[in-house]
Amino acid sequence: MQNKGLVKFFAILFALVSIYQLSFTFVANKVKDDAKTFAGGNPEKEIKYLDSIGKEKVFLDFFTYNEVKDKQINKGLDLEGGINVILQISVKDVLKQLSNNSKNPAFNKALEDATLNQEGNQSYLDAFFVAFEANKGTNKLASPDIFANRNLQGEIDFNMSDAQVKKVLIKKVDESVESAFGVLRSRIDKFGVTQPNIAKLGQTGRILIELPGAKDVDRIKKLVSSKAELEFWETYKSEELMGFMASANEALKATVKADEKVEVAKPTDSISKLLTDKDKDSTATKKGNNPLFDKFVSQGGGPVLVVASPKDTAAINGYLKRPEIRNLLPADKRYAKFVWGKVDVKVDEKTKKETETVDLYALKGNRDNIAPMSGGVIVDARDTFDQMGKPAVSMQMNGQGARVWEELTGRAFSQKSFIAIALDDVVYSAPGVTSGPISGGRSEITGSFEVAETKDLANVLRAGKLPAQAEIIQSEVVGPSLGEIAIHAGLISSIVGFLLVCLWMVFYYGRAGWYANAALLLNLLFLFGVMASFGFVLTLPGIAGIVLTLGTAVDANIIIYERAKEELREGKSLAEAVQASYGWKGAMRSIIDANVTHVLTGTILFVFGTGLIQGFALTLLIGIFTSLFTSIFIARIFIDKDIANNRSLTFCTPITKNWFTGFHFDFIGIKKWSYLFSSVVVIVSCVSFYFNGLDEGVDFVGGRTFQVKFEKPVESSVVSEELSVAFGTTVEAKVFGSDDQLKLTTKYKIKEDGVEVDKEVNEKLYSALKKYYGADVTYEKFINSYDGKKVGVLQSSKVGAAISADIKTNSFWAVIGAMLVVGLYLVISFRKWQYSLGAIAAVLHDVIFVLGIYSLLYKYMPFHMEMDQHFIAAILTVIGYSMNDTVIVFDRIREFLAGDRKGHFKDVVNASINTTLSRTLNTSLTMILVLLIMFIFGGESIRGFIFAMLIGIIIGTYSSLFIATPVLVDTMSKEAIDDIEKRHGN
């Protein structure tokens, strides 16, 4: 080997750099352990400790803790625990704002059609353009009542074409997403979690937020999705609208059907007196006799019209929005805007029972529904405490805001009225003004707050409002205890997999196996060093990728060693055999072809995958390149040293010396039987697809999943039935690992977005399952994550309908694209389309086989066999390895056909397969070994994923021998075969 000294230099340099980079991870972990010990299990105390030492030097008396943690290998949420959400910025809202809330029928019809008809991987904006073309009639985008308005003055005028307007809209939507990204980053940076990650997902209008270690699910979802539209409104007094409420109640009596009898609370206020003019009104007990007033708990006072239960707010809203009811408003109050306050929770001191109520306000609206003052005037906000010592939020306004605030408070003082402070159409407080106009622009929001709420509220007010509604379309919550289990499983599978591969290499190749193991060890060091150097995230599928790298890392060594054995059998010296095996016509062409197919499929997996799947693809890709370097160059340094010292090296042991040699099996002769077997498999699979289908996970169809741990074993069928009744729709419950743990799946309200919907689902789940837990398991303990959590929701995820369509589309094109790209490469590399066709036929056969196995068995296997992103990753990995096996055989066929081997065409092809059998089986065997280890020790969450690869590798080995090569033979033209036999004839 030339430049041996240079190879040694770079190997030592890379090793030192890798050790240096990994040292930051070890130091960061030690500091975190110290923080946990100091905090004693209190997560807030732990974060404060880490924040306090952020600027202290903790490594080499030079690097601060903040610098160290930025250079460590970051763990993904599945290992660290935490919360992951993908937000979709509402492009529909952005377009409405840009159109100045246009009332144009064609425009609004296009908005609705775009919502209904948006296809997978199609942006909402593109769907809107298509819908507008179909509905526009004589309108155009630059119409004065659409986009040629004052909001876009100077950018769009009515003479512009639709194509020109589209360019402006694309730019404006991108600016809105960028603005939202900045607002969310500001909110997250102030939230107080370590190493948050926020990233835009291409041009989709979606934003990924990862919060490792975060635990309060409802609070975080509210923080990231709150639009933060702060508004200041003047309010009506309760007595000003009580006449309207009475008129509305009377009008509703004629249209709202009376229902069953219910007990009415004893009259305690003026509303009750309105309900029961007579003390013994026999009809007052009928629900529907007073449709509106029956929904109220009590009358309010001041700015509060009435008090109601949160469960009745939707019905009351429906009544008050009716046109015939709105028409009852006095002329000077026709723009009144009814909004609710923040939910207030009161606890009865005697019964300890909690009661939730919410206040109804009437704001002094206007024709344009624009508040007298908005949150844009706020320049600073701080969480503080009011005069009563209760949590509050103080705000400072700019000069313009201070002037408007002085006018508003002056008017409220003189009229003895109130000013409502509303955030996202929820009134947080409605203070009166008792000491005259307030100058200077300072104000305060008070109410029934927790300290954490005032911190979050001040945070979002400082960061500013989002330019449009942000809906959570995908989320995942992983408890820290699951992360610990995943790390433990990953470590065990990695160590056992590494040891088994090492033992097999030594057993089969003797001393040469030790050289391969040394290269393998160095390869792992390089792999982790690269991940640490570039700040890549380590995930559980990423650990699976590393374990798979153990199998692929020795693949190149196996190909080289097998070629060297062949050269030695032909009588060459060790030096000549090594030189030939490392040459382009020896093993290098096969190694390059096989690894190019790996790189292509890995790249496609990385491009089309998201989150954890990208982590798997990334470690796989890094492993390919580090493996090539160590297998080709490092192992050879040891081999060349043996040659220089005249040491014997046989690349085998006495036991394995003659293994897989002397084979003369007629693979082509039995092709009819292999075709028959494979045809039966394909037919059975297709029949199963029709009758059984596939167990499509929420990634593909949308839905919510919960991994719930119970205090003792439960019956999944009973839990499923109970939850289905509670949710009013099917809830699937499957045993997940052990009898006291279930995986629950539901599509309940999956097409509805909003934090309120997510919280409703969580509350329904807790209410239905709390009977299985002790009284100490509260809602917060059941839903939220915390260190040492053993029962309740350990992991949850949500995939909205919109993103599931994108995932399904991406998955389809990823599989098709992988086959086509690799097929194209083989056409270029082998210069004959028959090779590519044979390889694609084998891969297609493998994909159908794996899908068929999953379709047939998913109802019966004790582990989950869902079609999700992990499964697609497995399929793409199978495609790569199937191509790998096929390429090894095809390379030998090409070599023999280009050489002087004698015999008929079929004889030459059979000889090619037989002489590569040891390489094919050895490569597959090492892969099967590590996959089995992952399957046994890798953990329940990736067992189905590993099973797909395990089946795929086994069937891929079969197809490369019995499908790919026969297809190659059968598609060769008669002229080409005649030419080959003429050149190779006896």
Side-chain angles (χ1 to χ4, degrees):
M1 180 174 65
Q2 302 296 322
N3 301 316
K4 194 183 303 179
L6 192 62
V7 171
K8 288 181 180 179
F9 170 76
F10 277 114
I12 294 172
L13 179 64
F14 290 160
L16 291 175
V17 169
S18 297
I19 292 170
Y20 169 74
Q21 291 292 347
L22 288 171
S23 63
F24 290 98
T25 301
F26 290 115
V27 172
N29 287 338
K30 183 181 183 304
V31 174
K32 286 179 185 177
D33 289 340
D34 292 342
K36 284 186 177 181
T37 302
F38 173 81
N42 186 329
E44 290 186 6
K45 194 174 180 182
E46 181 182 334
I47 290 172
K48 286 181 180 177
Y49 175 87
L50 293 174
D51 286 342
S52 68
I53 65 166
K55 295 181 180 179
E56 292 184 16
K57 293 181 173 60
V58 296
F59 184 43
L60 299 177
D61 201 29
F62 184 80
F63 294 101
T64 65
Y65 172 68
N66 286 339
E67 292 171 329
V68 167
K69 74 177 183 180
D70 287 340
K71 292 176 180 290
Q72 69 173 333
I73 293 181
N74 297 321
K75 294 194 288 286
L77 294 188
D78 54 344
L79 299 179
E80 181 80 8
I83 297 175
N84 165 312
V85 297
I86 294 179
L87 295 171
Q88 174 75 65
I89 303 302
S90 175
V91 178
K92 182 178 182 179
D93 283 359
V94 175
L95 292 176
K96 282 183 176 179
Q97 292 170 17
L98 293 174
S99 73
N100 200 22
N101 291 313
S102 171
K103 302 296 189 293
N104 183 286
F107 169 74
N108 284 288
K109 181 69 164 59
L111 290 177
E112 296 306 318
D113 287 354
T115 302
L116 293 172
N117 302 327
Q118 184 180 357
E119 299 174 354
N121 263 13
Q122 183 186 40
S123 71
Y124 181 87
L125 192 56
D126 286 338
F128 167 76
F129 291 152
V130 171
F132 186 79
E133 284 295 322
N135 291 285
K136 70 177 185 178
T138 59
N139 295 282
K140 61 177 189 174
L141 291 173
S143 297
D145 62 341
I146 304 182
F147 291 117
N149 58 54
R150 63 184 182 184
N151 284 352
L152 294 169
Q153 190 173 1
E155 295 186 82
I156 294 177
D157 62 67
F158 61 87
N159 292 317
M160 293 175 69
S161 66
D162 281 356
Q164 291 172 312
V165 175
K166 286 177 182 178
K167 291 180 181 178
V168 177
L169 295 179
I170 291 170
K171 175 188 171 187
K172 286 294 181 182
V173 169
D174 286 344
E175 287 175 356
S176 295
V177 175
E178 189 66 42
S179 173
F181 180 76
V183 170
L184 288 168
R185 175 171 285 285
S186 180
R187 291 183 189 179
I188 295 304
D189 286 344
K190 293 178 177 64
F191 183 69
V193 296
T194 57
Q195 296 176 298
N197 175 42
I198 176 170
K200 290 185 295 182
L201 300 179
Q203 302 298 314
T204 62
R206 292 170 182 164
I207 296 173
L208 168 70
I209 298 175
E210 291 182 324
L211 303 175
K215 297 174 176 65
D216 193 332
V217 179
D218 293 334
R219 178 187 171 196
I220 290 167
K221 286 184 176 181
K222 184 177 180 181
L223 173 75
V224 298
S225 65
S226 171
K227 190 177 178 182
E229 184 99 52
L230 183 67
E231 295 173 328
F232 299 83
W233 295 87
E234 294 177 272
T235 73
Y236 292 109
K237 300 174 189 176
S238 60
E239 58 266 25
E240 292 181 88
L241 284 174
M242 192 46 64
F244 159 73
M245 300 296 279
S247 299
N249 184 64
E250 289 299 316
L252 287 167
K253 287 181 180 180
T255 57
V256 178
K257 184 180 179 181
D259 205 344
E260 72 279 357
K261 288 186 177 183
V262 295
E263 291 185 5
V264 176
K266 184 178 179 181
T268 57
D269 50 40
S270 58
I271 286 181
S272 296
K273 291 175 183 177
L274 283 171
L275 288 172
T276 56
D277 291 332
K278 298 178 180 179
D279 289 341
K280 297 182 180 180
D281 185 352
S282 61
T283 61
T285 59
K286 288 189 177 180
K287 185 178 180 181
N289 190 55
N290 291 289
L292 186 59
F293 289 146
D294 277 347
K295 299 292 184 184
F296 301 154
V297 174
S298 66
Q299 185 183 3
V304 178
L305 298 185
V306 293
V307 180
S309 171
K311 66 182 177 62
D312 293 323
T313 56
I316 297 170
N317 287 339
Y319 293 154
L320 296 179
K321 285 179 181 178
R322 291 188 179 188
E324 69 272 21
I325 301 301
R326 295 281 310 179
N327 289 336
L328 297 175
L329 284 163
D332 62 335
K333 299 178 179 63
R334 65 184 183 277
Y335 296 121
K337 180 178 180 180
F338 297 99
V339 296
W340 296 96
K342 183 174 173 288
V343 175
D344 183 31
V345 181
K346 294 180 179 178
V347 181
D348 188 289
E349 292 298 327
K350 293 181 179 180
T351 63
K352 302 299 181 182
K353 186 177 180 180
E354 289 186 352
T355 304
E356 291 186 343
T357 58
V358 60
D359 299 335
L360 179 65
Y361 298 83
L363 310 181
K364 293 184 178 180
N366 49 59
R367 181 188 297 274
D368 297 322
N369 196 31
I370 297 174
M373 189 168 75
S374 71
V377 302
I378 302 298
V379 293
D380 191 24
R382 291 282 181 267
D383 55 294
T384 183
F385 294 90
D386 63 14
Q387 295 177 344
M388 304 295 292
K390 294 181 179 180
V393 176
S394 65
M395 300 176 291
Q396 178 63 51
M397 304 170 186
N398 59 22
Q400 178 188 355
R403 287 191 296 273
V404 177
W405 184 241
E406 189 169 359
E407 292 175 12
L408 281 174
T409 53
R411 196 157 52 242
F413 173 72
S414 62
Q415 297 175 0
K416 304 298 180 186
S417 60
F418 305 85
I419 299 173
I421 302 174
L423 184 72
D424 293 339
D425 280 339
V426 174
V427 174
Y428 277 74
S429 62
V433 181
T434 58
S435 57
I438 301 174
S439 60
R442 292 202 66 83
S443 62
E444 190 174 69
I445 305 177
T446 59
S448 54
F449 292 113
E450 299 287 342
V451 173
E453 287 181 290
T454 57
K455 288 182 180 295
D456 291 346
L457 184 54
N459 181 1
V460 297
L461 292 178
R462 285 196 302 272
K465 72 172 185 176
L466 290 172
Q469 188 65 41
E471 300 291 0
I472 297 174
I473 58 173
Q474 183 174 351
S475 65
E476 184 171 18
V477 181
V478 182
S481 58
L482 279 187
E484 293 173 6
I485 294 170
I487 292 172
H488 180 69
L491 281 173
I492 290 178
S493 58
S494 299
I495 293 170
V496 175
F498 177 78
L499 291 176
L500 278 179
V501 170
C502 289
L503 286 172
W504 175 256
M505 292 300 290
V506 171
F507 169 75
Y508 197 87
Y509 293 108
R511 192 165 68 252
W514 285 110
Y515 301 158
N517 292 340
L520 178 61
L521 195 59
L522 195 60
N523 171 53
L524 289 176
L525 177 63
F526 289 169
L527 182 91
F528 282 108
V530 170
M531 293 187 72
S533 299
F534 292 96
F536 296 142
V537 177
L538 182 63
T539 63
L540 184 56
I543 291 177
I546 291 170
V547 176
L548 280 174
T549 299
L550 300 178
T552 56
V554 296
D555 184 31
N557 288 120
I558 289 172
I559 296 173
I560 292 168
Y561 289 177
E562 291 299 326
R563 185 63 186 227
K565 285 199 291 187
E566 291 176 8
E567 300 293 338
L568 287 173
R569 291 192 194 102
E570 292 180 5
K572 292 182 180 179
S573 66
L574 177 60
E576 292 171 335
V578 170
Q579 188 69 29
S581 61
Y582 275 92
W584 180 252
K585 292 184 178 180
M588 283 305 106
R589 176 179 278 186
S590 297
I591 291 172
I592 297 302
D593 280 339
N595 281 280
V596 167
T597 59
H598 280 326
V599 170
L600 289 174
T601 52
T603 302
I604 288 171
L605 186 57
F606 183 80
V607 170
F608 285 96
T610 58
L612 301 179
I613 302 306
Q614 284 187 325
F616 170 74
L618 193 62
T619 52
L620 212 55
L621 286 169
I622 296 170
I624 289 169
F625 291 105
T626 56
S627 297
L628 279 175
F629 176 78
T630 55
S631 299
I632 294 173
F633 295 107
I634 302 303
R636 187 167 180 185
I637 290 175
F638 295 106
I639 293 172
D640 284 348
K641 190 174 181 180
D642 279 356
I643 294 171
N645 294 331
N646 290 318
R647 292 182 67 184
S648 174
L649 188 64
T650 59
F651 301 99
C652 61
T653 63
I655 298 174
T656 62
K657 181 178 181 180
N658 296 314
W659 283 19
F660 306 118
T661 59
F663 274 95
H664 299 288
F665 190 79
D666 186 3
F667 288 93
I668 305 303
I670 66 161
K671 65 180 180 179
K672 290 181 180 178
W673 294 106
S674 59
Y675 283 164
L676 179 62
F677 170 75
S678 294
S679 297
V680 170
V681 168
V682 169
I683 291 170
V684 170
S685 296
C686 290
V687 170
S688 183
F689 297 154
Y690 182 80
F691 288 102
N692 286 337
L694 288 156
D695 187 15
E696 291 187 272
V698 295
D699 284 357
F700 285 178
V701 296
R704 291 177 170 86
T705 62
F706 300 88
Q707 183 179 333
V708 180
K709 184 81 168 178
F710 294 84
E711 292 180 339
K712 56 184 179 181
V714 293
E715 285 289 337
S716 60
S717 58
V718 173
V719 172
S720 175
E721 187 176 336
E722 291 172 346
L723 290 174
S724 297
V725 171
F727 281 92
T729 186
T730 302
V731 178
E732 185 183 74
K734 293 182 178 178
V735 174
F736 194 78
S738 58
D739 291 341
D740 61 349
Q741 186 168 247
L742 298 180
K743 185 173 185 181
L744 310 174
T745 306
T746 178
K747 294 179 185 176
Y748 178 73
K749 289 192 175 181
I750 195 59
K751 292 185 178 180
E752 297 181 32
D753 294 315
V755 176
E756 296 78 13
V757 176
D758 292 343
K759 188 172 183 181
E760 178 194 343
V761 173
N762 289 342
E763 288 173 343
K764 279 182 175 289
L765 185 68
Y766 173 68
S767 297
L769 298 181
K770 65 181 180 181
K771 68 179 183 180
Y772 292 100
Y773 298 92
D776 60 320
V777 180
T778 62
Y779 169 80
E780 288 73 20
K781 286 185 177 181
F782 179 77
I783 292 295
N784 293 332
S785 299
Y786 53 88
D787 291 330
K789 183 174 184 177
K790 301 297 182 185
V791 295
V793 177
L794 302 184
Q795 182 175 9
S796 66
S797 65
K798 166 193 169 183
V799 179
I803 200 169
S804 67
D806 289 358
I807 292 171
K808 183 179 280 190
T809 302
N810 282 343
S811 299
F812 173 79
W813 286 114
V815 174
I816 298 299
M819 288 194 287
L820 292 179
V821 168
V822 174
L824 180 62
Y825 171 76
L826 293 181
V827 169
I828 296 171
S829 178
F830 286 86
R831 293 180 175 81
K832 283 186 180 291
W833 61 267
Q834 288 89 347
Y835 286 96
S836 182
L837 180 63
I840 290 177
V843 166
L844 189 60
H845 165 274
D846 298 344
V847 170
I848 293 174
F849 195 105
V850 175
L851 288 171
I853 290 288
Y854 267 61
S855 177
L856 288 165
L857 300 180
Y858 77 85
K859 295 178 181 178
Y860 312 106
M861 295 298 270
F863 53 88
H864 287 261
M865 300 177 72
E866 292 180 347
M867 285 277 291
D868 54 14
Q869 290 189 84
H870 291 83
F871 181 81
I872 297 302
I875 290 293
L876 288 173
T877 308
V878 166
I879 289 173
Y881 287 108
S882 180
M883 289 287 186
N884 182 15
D885 283 344
T886 302
V887 163
I888 290 175
V889 176
F890 281 3
D891 267 321
R892 180 51 62 92
I893 292 173
R894 175 173 55 184
E895 178 189 342
F896 277 12
L897 292 180
D900 56 2
R901 192 176 187 93
K902 302 301 180 182
H904 293 291
F905 173 59
K906 292 182 180 179
D907 297 332
V908 175
V909 171
N910 271 323
S912 303
I913 302 174
N914 281 293
T915 55
T916 57
L917 203 57
S918 57
R919 287 189 290 182
T920 301
L921 295 180
N922 251 323
T923 300
S924 298
L925 186 59
T926 54
M927 286 304 308
I928 290 169
L929 270 176
V930 295
L931 286 171
L932 272 174
I933 296 305
M934 282 297 292
F935 182 76
I936 296 169
F937 299 108
E940 187 67 31
S941 60
I942 61 170
R943 191 155 284 147
F945 163 62
I946 296 298
F947 183 73
M949 283 195 285
L950 189 57
I951 296 298
I953 297 300
I954 294 170
I955 199 63
T957 305
Y958 159 82
S959 66
S960 65
L961 301 174
F962 295 96
I963 300 298
T965 309
V967 169
L968 167 66
V969 170
D970 289 343
T971 53
M972 281 283 191
S973 65
K974 188 176 183 304
E975 293 77 11
I977 293 175
D978 290 341
D979 179 62
I980 290 169
E981 295 198 335
K982 184 177 179 181
R983 288 186 290 107
H984 291 268
N986 292 315

